[in-house]
Amino acid sequence: MKKIILTLVVMAAACAQAKNTTPAIDESLVINDKNYFSMQGLNVTVFSDIYPDGHQTGVTIIQQGSRVAANGDLRLEISPGQWSPVPVGGSQAVDKEHKRITQTLSYPDPSKDKKGFNPINYPDLKFSYHVSVTALQTNQFKISVDLEQPLPAEWIGKIGFNLELFPGELFGKAFLMDQQSGIFTQQANGPIEKIDGEFIASPLAVGNKLVVAPDEDKQRIVIENITKGSDASKLELWDGRANHNNGWYIVRSSIPANATKNAIEWIVTPNVIKGWKYEPVLQVSQMGYATKQPKKLVIEQDAQDLKIDDVSLFKLTETGKQLIRKARPQEWGNFLRYHYLTYDFSDVQTPGSYVISYRDKVTSSFKINDDVFDRHVWQPTLEYFLPMQMCHMRVNEKYRVWHGIDHLDDALMAPINYNHYDGYISGPSTLTKYKSGDRVPGLNAGGWHDAGDYDLRVESQMGTVWLLSEMVEEFGLNYDATSIDQKTKVVEIHQPDGKNDALQQIEHGLLSVLGGYKAMGRLYRGIIDTDLRQYVMLGDGSLQTDNLPYNAKLAKGEMKNDKSGNNDDRWVFTEDNPNREIYVVAGLASAARALKTYNPQMSQDALAAAKDIYQKSFARATKIDDKTFAAAELFLSTQDKKYLADLLPLKDQIIEKIGEAGWPLGRVIASIDDKVFVDAINTAVEKHQLLVRERAAKESPYGVPYKPNIWGAGWDIQEFGVKQYFFHKSWPQYTTTDAYFSALNFVLGVHPGSNTQSFASGVGANSATVAYGNNRADWSYIPGGVISGTALIRPDLPELKIWPFFWQQTEYVMGGGETNYMFLVLAVNAENKKH
């Protein structure tokens, strides 16, 4: 579901290094230079983010460093979901003198004509309004809503101001509403009622004054409804998880009849602990380091906390902790909202397990040894995650069944001129001999479920295939812990079958992509379910369809002669997209090399398809990085210099995009005879790598170019690390290994925010074991999956919540997330073994 991002979202980064001067401590809410309300222990942002389906918009409360409430805005439903109507953001007025921020918004005209599926069903309603937040005394503020005109009579009681409370930190806490009381329960409970066509749980409480978490000083918030008028509605406390698994608790007041000015007025008083400061966070690799590997502790402190104390490094022994040294960390400076120190302990090379303490904080234990990456690090991805994501298979692990055999009824040709969800759009033709609704053969085998959902996207399939192929080629990856039987369609985890698991996974990916290519004479865009009820399904993917091909002659529910009257078969989409096609060429060419002796026929098929698609798409493609990628991989597979010749006229384009196009070119540049071309590329790479080092040193204390965004940056940083590996391999005179070493450390725990988990689930002493996989409803994880990671709550809060429904923070994804991580670990391990 990561791909459904509304057009409202503005993906703009907002971070800057500040001067290392102690800012003044505000004793009451004021509007700071980043245009949000701030005092020590409390921040209130007003539409700094506009990402409502990700619970990142509207009035937002950050209390004692934790985001506890968000999405404060007018909504058309009591408990809106991912595809509910959302407003369009307009202008914002910041009045520092009167300590007021006002955001103008509107619900759009629904008359936009969209063919096909439209996940957001806007009603016949158009209106504008203003949400204002005004600081009052000390830690108190007022929220008011003004409408430009009264609501139509039929909308009275339906539209209201919602403020969502983050559930994950409220479970078991109390609430008070006037004379009522209760607790925030671990799961949503009834009774259930139907309101405006939606089944939702009855309100937990209704009244005029709500006290959230009166039993916890760090979280206590008082919300009082002071809306005037005889028709003024009360505060209502709802559990939004009853109709949406990923919902939050909701505080709501509906708009009364005839209201315009001050249609809603609340006084909000979050408790602030006097003298509160953000406690230091110690960030090290949750796995550890090789003996001669660079090692750096990053300390994250409150921006007011400029004191530097000694760190203590301990080695763990049979009698406990043995002090190795005390030392003073170095000041790095400010990043986002925090102050940073670093401590380099690269000279510690004695093998063993260690911890580091600073003040009253202690890191998880980490290992220093040259075998640190030999086990338990990349292996879970190959042992668990990739098998678990395999489509068209039953996946067993001893007593456990991860999922049953699935989607054997793939696939029907998608409708034409159709705007489906998740980015799937068809044009006026299927581009094949098949008509819409026809069954396309060869698609009921192979492939991996894309992410936290079940579609198969061609770029995700081939990105995974390419990375696995390169790991086989670069590092000799040969590991067998799994049985994969394509005839019986059964996978047995932790039951070796004498075959290289990496090669079997490459084969599995190509079964899908080549199957579609052979049947249709072109690549598919992707294979996806047909309706939202299937799309949002959590759990066993084998239950998404009935596994029987649809037969329109049968009645719904009727099954006969291995056919079914249930029209639940997935659709296959095609597209005319030369850029995506040329990207796929690279993966096909690389796989041809990897499979040459393991599966010669598939290797030949992959190479033939790569050549054919290249011939049809290269001239039409416009992305220079993908064109370079494809030509380089085809040369490596064929040694035919015509592919290199295709790149020579593109020199200026390659230089302009050297960061994206340089690394694949480096793999073949030694075979290019044009000295002018080679010299120009070398100069461009030298300049680019200088810039990379400058950005890595200046942008953050983490040693990688890093500007946080709404989405966690873990995947991008991993991809950057892989590219830097190839840059270093081809141009060691201009590069170091620091960038890809730091990229791996970032993923393994050296990243901003109070949650220092390894992004790789089940890897390291502390890792992401609540994640957005297809088992997220169980608050569980898939070993070896790699989450997106720490995200930015704009403008300056790094956040990684323990919550299974934040796709922008904890989702797994094929095509780079996990296999880029595997590649990085193998690259770092290979470099370490040289010493």
Side-chain angles (χ1 to χ4, degrees), residues 784-821:
V786 181
I787 64 171
S788 39
T790 306
L792 178 70
I793 307 303
R794 290 193 297 180
D796 61 4
L797 176 68
E799 180 181 88
L800 178 56
K801 292 280 196 186
I802 298 177
W803 181 246
F805 300 109
F806 273 151
W807 52 80
Q808 69 269 41
Q809 296 182 21
T810 63
E811 188 174 18
Y812 304 135
V813 64
M814 295 297 299
E818 285 68 28
T819 40
N820 270 324
Y821 160 75

Side-chain angles (χ1 to χ4, degrees), residues 770-785:
V770 174
Y772 192 99
N774 51 39
N775 58 351
R776 57 190 176 276
D778 301 320
W779 284 66
S780 191
Y781 70 103
I782 305 171

Side-chain angles (χ1 to χ4, degrees), residues 71 132 166 202 284 355 405 410 521 594 613 643 680 708 724 732 835:
N71 270 16
S132 296
F166 176 63
S202 300
V284 294
V355 296
I405 193 167
D410 279 344
I613 298 168
Y643 297 111
Q724 283 299 117
H835 301 291

Side-chain angles (χ1 to χ4, degrees), residues 26-27 29 37-44 60-69 139 169 212-213 216-222 269-281 300 302 337-338 753-754 797-799 801:
D26 295 313
E27 300 293 340
L29 285 171
F37 294 96
S38 180
M39 63 178 290
Q40 194 68 10
L42 178 63
N43 310 124
V44 182
T60 298
I61 301 173
I62 301 165
Q63 186 182 24
Q64 269 77 237
S66 178
R67 186 169 64 113
V68 297
N139 56 320
E169 294 164 14
V212 178
E216 178 56 68
D217 288 347
K218 285 186 177 181
Q219 295 176 260
R220 186 168 63 254
I221 301 175
V222 179
T269 311
N271 187 54
V272 175
I273 297 174
K274 188 173 179 59
W276 177 88
K277 284 187 178 180
Y278 182 74
E279 296 182 349
V281 177
E300 184 178 86
D302 193 288
R337 60 170 48 204
Y338 301 122
S754 59
L797 176 68
E799 180 181 88
K801 292 280 196 186

Side-chain angles (χ1 to χ4, degrees), residues 1 4-6 8-9 45 47-62 66-73 75 78-84 86 162-168 238-251 710-711 772 791-794 797 799 801 803-810:
M1 298 178 189
I4 302 180
I5 301 177
L6 303 178
L8 306 177
V9 180
T45 65
F47 294 88
S48 295
D49 273 319
I50 304 182
Y51 190 13
D53 52 336
H55 300 275
Q56 280 182 232
T57 192
V59 180
T60 298
I61 301 173
I62 301 165
S66 178
R67 186 169 64 113
V68 297
N71 270 16
D73 195 4
R75 299 305 297 267
I78 293 170
S79 178
Q82 188 172 346
W83 293 281
S84 295
V86 293
N162 289 13
L163 179 65
E164 299 181 358
L165 308 177
F166 176 63
W238 299 84
D239 191 337
R241 300 171 301 158
N243 62 324
H244 301 289
N245 294 87
N246 59 358
W248 291 19
Y249 295 111
I250 300 165
V251 186
I710 286 176
W711 275 77
Y772 192 99
L792 178 70
I793 307 303
R794 290 193 297 180
L797 176 68
E799 180 181 88
K801 292 280 196 186
W803 181 246
F805 300 109
F806 273 151
W807 52 80
Q808 69 269 41
Q809 296 182 21
T810 63

Side-chain angles (χ1 to χ4, degrees), residues 124 147 154 166 190 230 313 356 394 468 628 655 701 744-745 817:
D124 187 14
L147 276 62
E154 63 270 22
F166 176 63
S230 58
L313 175 68
I356 299 176
R394 174 184 169 116
L468 286 168
T628 307
I655 289 172
L744 179 60
N745 288 336

